[in-house]
Amino acid sequence: MKNKMKLMLLAVLCAGLLAGCSNSNGEALSMVKNDTLYQVSTINSLLAGNYDGFKTFGDLKKYGNVGIGTFNTLDGEMVMIDNKVYKIKSTGEVLEVNDSETTPFAAVTHFDEDATVDLANIANLEALEAELDKLIENKNMFYVFRIDGTFKTIKARSVPSQQKPYPVMTEVVKEQVVFNFSDVKGSIVGLWCPEYVGGVNVPGYHFHFISEDRTMGGHLLDASFEKAQAFTDPTDGFVMALSPNEPEGSVKDLDSELDAVEQ
């Protein structure tokens, strides 16, 4: 099993090409293999209101086939599954997006099912996380999850597209739309990040949901089910594409702001 964390902060896209960086996209692609999480920008940047997309989904698919994120102008919740990208809008509409659309924040990987476990009698999200905790053998690594099943209840949310000047994320979530689904077959996709990556990504769990028929989904707030199957991919590599854009806002209290936007 993997036992060493490799953090590589790589500016794949820049506001302008620096000397010696003309092959950065090709070099990055050669490095991003299995057991590597590829991330677009930082959660700090997103919290501060940096919603301008700069990485296309066509490019993102080169680096992974499973992941979560958002869209240009924060237009909905993103689920990448089976190498397809879906947008869950605040209206509840689910769209498969084309490769030319862009993201200001996302995290994806080439999903490799290193462990599989059957889950049963999960009453809520807290109980689900407690079961998944048993699969986290090394708290210095990233873990990507996919959970397939028929869910008794799903509580999810999405947020509307924003206009400039962009508000910070804690203001945006005040406009969130919450969806409640019952007896729906689908997949929970997400990741667990180590505590020390605070500011880079969300420490702990972060999940999105999409139904099997791709008509329902969102950022996961709660879930319950009788039976489901969880697949996990421990990931010890990390590559980041830094945003060329400057947020207009700022993060004043990371922990409290993360709590506000994740719940």
Side-chain angles (χ1 to χ4, degrees):
M1 183 67 80
K2 314 161 190 81
N3 58 17
K4 185 177 181 182
M5 187 67 194
K6 301 169 288 186
L7 287 178
M8 296 181 291
L9 299 182
L10 177 64
V12 179
L13 293 178
C14 313
L17 287 174
L18 301 178
C21 289
S22 60
N23 291 324
S24 61
N25 284 329
E27 292 169 359
L29 183 59
S30 68
M31 287 189 293
V32 180
K33 301 177 181 179
N34 288 347
D35 301 325
T36 298
L37 187 72
Y38 179 83
Q39 184 169 309
V40 177
S41 193
T42 68
I43 192 63
N44 249 15
S45 182
L46 194 71
L47 287 171
N50 191 353
Y51 309 143
D52 286 330
F54 66 96
K55 172 71 69 173
T56 69
F57 287 103
D59 199 13
L60 194 65
K61 288 177 181 178
K62 300 173 185 177
Y63 303 99
N65 54 18
V66 167
I68 58 176
T70 188
F71 298 88
N72 182 51
T73 72
L74 208 69
D75 186 21
E77 305 289 346
M78 180 206 115
V79 177
M80 178 185 280
I81 188 169
D82 299 329
N83 207 40
K84 294 183 179 180
V85 177
Y86 297 92
K87 176 189 293 188
I88 298 99
K89 295 176 67 67
S90 61
T91 59
E93 183 182 15
V94 179
L95 304 172
E96 183 178 350
V97 305
N98 61 53
D99 287 350
S100 64
E101 290 199 41
T102 58
T103 178
F105 179 79
V108 303
T109 193
H110 293 290
F111 195 75
D112 180 19
E113 299 172 6
D114 288 350
T116 304
V117 63
D118 292 324
L119 303 175
N121 301 319
I122 299 297
N124 51 42
L125 185 58
E126 183 179 0
L128 173 60
E129 292 178 352
E131 288 299 311
L132 297 180
D133 283 346
K134 300 174 183 178
L135 300 175
I136 298 175
E137 298 179 354
N138 185 339
K139 291 188 176 181
N140 291 316
M141 296 170 60
F142 295 95
Y143 285 75
V144 182
F145 291 96
R146 173 174 174 168
I147 304 164
D148 295 337
T150 299
F151 298 88
K152 185 176 180 181
T153 61
I154 289 286
K155 183 179 181 180
R157 72 107 194 273
S158 187
V159 294
S161 176
Q162 301 299 302
Q163 295 182 345
K164 292 185 176 182
Y166 295 135
V168 295
M169 191 72 170
T170 51
E171 292 300 313
V172 174
V173 295
K174 294 176 182 178
E175 306 174 55
Q176 72 181 17
V177 180
V178 176
F179 313 114
N180 289 287
F181 310 126
S182 299
D183 300 320
V184 56
K185 192 171 184 179
S187 299
I188 294 171
V189 174
L191 60 153
W192 182 92
C193 296
E195 186 66 30
Y196 63 79
V197 304
V200 176
N201 206 313
V202 179
Y205 294 101
H206 181 184
F207 295 117
H208 290 186
F209 172 79
I210 191 163
S211 62
E212 186 179 61
D213 63 7
R214 309 307 189 227
T215 64
M216 296 175 280
H219 171 96
L220 189 68
L221 299 174
D222 205 358
S224 67
F225 56 88
E226 293 182 359
K227 293 181 180 180
Q229 195 166 42
F231 310 93
T232 183
D233 182 10
T235 302
D236 67 349
F238 183 70
V239 173
M240 179 186 289
L242 296 175
S243 174
N245 306 310
E246 183 76 17
E248 296 183 12
S250 62
V251 177
K252 298 178 181 179
D253 185 335
L254 179 62
D255 289 341
S256 65
E257 291 183 36
L258 279 175
D259 286 344
V261 302
E262 288 299 307
Q263 299 179 15

